[in-house]
Amino acid sequence: MANASSYPIYQAYVENVRDFIAAEIEIRRGINRALKCGKPHTVRIQTKIYALLYSTFAEANFSKLVLTTYGFEQNFIEQILHEDKNLQEKWLTCLDLAFQKFNANKKASEIPNKKQELKRIIQQFVIEPSIIRNKIAHGQLSVALNRKGKDKNSELTNQISNLDVVSITRLFKINKSLVDILEDLVESPNYAHHANYYPKLQNLTAFIETSANWTVASKMAHGNMVKVARNRQPIL
C-alpha cells in the first residue's frame, strides 16, 4: 500500500480525471454538432484538440491507476512514476508489477497469454497515439516534423490529417477499460478485485474487435445524425 503522503496526489488525479471526462463529453458534442451542421473546418480543428485531450487524459488516468488506494506499495510507485522512464517503459513496468502482485495468489500458468494481450493493447492504444500527441503538443498541429525538427515527416503528417472523432472516442473507451482492468490486478482488499479482471479483459477485446470498423460515415448513418442532417441546412 502507498505511503499516506501519496494519497493527496491520488485525490488530485481523481479530480483531474473527472474533469478530463467532462471535457471529453463537451468536445465530442461540439464535434458532433459541427458534423451535423456541415462545418468541416471546425470538425478538423476540434478533432486535433480532441486527440490532444485523449493523450493527456491517458497520462492522468495512468497516474491515478498507479496511485490507487490499496494498490501498489510505495517502492513500486517510485519505480513506475519517478524513475527515468519514457511512457512506454512506465506502462510496461506497471503491467509487470501488477502481475507480480497478482501472481502471489494465482497460478503462474494462466499469466503469459493475458499479459501479452494487455501489452499489445497498451502498445496500440496508448503508446502509438502518444506519438501524435507529442507532435501536436510541440506545435505541429497540421504538419509533423522529424525527430530533429529539420524536415517534414510525411507519415505522421498523414496520421494527423486522418484523425477523426470516432477513432478518438474509441481510444477513450479502451483506455478507461484498460485502466479498470489493471486496477483490478493491483487492488487487493480480500482479493475481491482479482476475480474481476479477466471478464473485463474479455469484454475489452470483444469491444476492440467489434468497434474496429467504426467510421465517421457509419456514425453519420446513425438515426439521430441522419435526422438532423436532413432537417438542417449546413452552416458555413
Side-chain angles (χ1 to χ4, degrees):
M1 189 172 176
N3 293 344
S5 61
S6 291
Y7 187 65
I9 309 303
Y10 167 72
Q11 290 181 307
Y13 277 113
V14 169
E15 183 174 350
N16 287 334
V17 168
R18 183 168 56 243
D19 284 348
F20 269 120
I21 291 171
E24 185 274 328
I25 293 170
E26 290 302 316
I27 292 178
R28 174 162 44 86
R29 285 174 176 171
I31 296 171
N32 287 343
R33 285 193 295 269
L35 282 168
K36 293 174 186 178
C37 295
K39 301 171 72 173
H41 178 71
T42 301
V43 170
R44 183 172 64 86
I45 295 301
Q46 290 191 353
T47 297
K48 292 175 183 179
I49 296 171
Y50 195 34
L52 182 60
L53 182 74
Y54 165 71
S55 286
T56 50
F57 159 79
E59 289 189 19
N61 210 25
F62 176 72
S63 295
K64 181 177 76 70
L65 158 67
V66 175
L67 293 163
T68 189
T69 309
Y70 304 111
F72 286 123
E73 291 76 12
Q74 189 65 35
N75 63 316
F76 281 6
I77 293 173
E78 298 294 330
Q79 189 175 341
I80 297 167
L81 292 182
H82 302 306
E83 292 186 3
D84 187 18
K85 292 184 173 73
N86 61 32
L87 179 63
Q88 181 173 13
E89 291 168 336
K90 288 179 179 180
W91 269 91
L92 295 183
T93 298
C94 178
L95 181 64
D96 288 340
L97 294 176
F99 272 105
Q100 183 175 318
K101 283 177 65 70
F102 183 77
N103 284 350
N105 302 286
K106 296 292 179 181
K107 294 180 180 179
S109 60
E110 71 172 278
I111 300 304
N113 289 341
K114 299 177 180 66
K115 185 176 177 181
Q116 189 60 37
E117 178 67 11
L118 285 167
K119 281 186 177 180
R120 184 190 66 79
I121 294 171
I122 289 169
Q123 179 62 37
Q124 183 175 356
F125 299 106
V126 178
I127 306 305
E128 292 177 9
S130 74
I131 297 171
I132 300 300
R133 188 288 311 267
N134 287 339
K135 294 299 181 182
I136 296 174
H138 287 87
Q140 298 165 40
L141 185 65
S142 299
V143 180
L145 304 178
N146 63 17
R147 183 172 297 179
K148 295 183 179 180
K150 295 183 177 180
D151 200 1
K152 295 179 182 179
N153 186 317
S154 298
E155 180 180 353
L156 290 179
T157 296
N158 288 336
Q159 289 182 36
I160 292 172
S161 178
N162 291 330
L163 289 169
D164 67 79
V165 62
V166 173
S167 62
I168 300 168
T169 300
R170 184 169 175 254
L171 288 177
F172 271 99
K173 292 179 181 294
I174 291 170
N175 185 277
K176 292 174 187 176
S177 296
L178 177 60
V179 167
D180 194 27
I181 289 165
L182 291 176
E183 284 181 351
D184 279 337
L185 288 171
V186 302
E187 291 184 335
S188 56
N190 302 317
Y191 306 121
H193 291 275
H194 288 174
N196 297 333
Y197 98 94
Y198 185 55
K200 291 179 181 179
L201 176 57
Q202 289 179 306
N203 290 338
L204 175 56
T205 54
F207 172 78
I208 289 172
E209 181 177 351
T210 58
S211 63
N213 295 321
W214 289 2
T215 64
V216 172
S218 65
K219 179 182 180 68
M220 294 303 294
H222 189 273
N224 290 338
M225 300 293 282
V226 170
K227 181 178 180 181
V228 175
R230 287 174 178 172
N231 292 340
R232 291 186 185 176
Q233 294 296 319
I235 300 174
L236 302 178

